[in-house]
Amino acid sequence: MFRHLRTLQQVSRRTLSSSARRQLENKVPVKQKLFQEDNGMPVHLKGGTTDALLYRATMALTVFGCGYVLYALIDAALPKKKD
């Protein structure tokens, strides 16, 4: 029993120590500098092209959704003609 526990501890140490060697580069200071820069651009667009595309897609879906809600409300409010 103790032999299995010791083996498990050795395997877990090897796994943890080998994963600790693969550290990623810390990009936080670079991103902080980018987003704190005073260039007159709104913070939700400072991420670049991807942010601009996501913003435009969100606005398009919002306008489409509002238009559809108005259509559905008007359709529900007006009585249907019976033949």
Side-chain angles (χ1 to χ4, degrees), residues 3-4 7 11 20 22 27 50-51 58 64-66 71 73 77:
R3 188 173 55 180
H4 295 298
T7 306
V11 169
R22 291 180 272 152
K27 298 178 184 178
T50 305
D51 281 353
T58 303
F64 174 76
C66 288
Y71 168 77
L73 285 173

Side-chain angles (χ1 to χ4, degrees), residues 2-65:
F2 291 113
R3 188 173 55 180
H4 295 298
L5 182 61
R6 192 175 316 158
T7 306
L8 183 62
Q9 287 175 344
Q10 288 173 349
V11 169
S12 67
R13 275 194 211 119
R14 251 186 264 142
T15 304
L16 291 175
S17 65
S18 65
S19 64
R21 281 186 239 139
R22 291 180 272 152
Q23 292 183 354
L24 298 175
E25 178 187 351
N26 185 6
K27 298 178 184 178
V28 173
V30 176
K31 293 290 186 182
Q32 283 178 334
K33 186 177 181 182
L34 172 72
F35 283 97
Q36 291 176 356
E37 187 176 299
D38 186 21
N39 57 4
M41 189 180 292
V43 72
H44 60 274
L45 296 177
K46 284 189 177 185
T49 306
T50 305
D51 281 353
L53 289 173
L54 285 172
Y55 176 74
R56 288 181 182 150
T58 303
M59 288 300 112
L61 286 171
T62 302
V63 169
F64 174 76

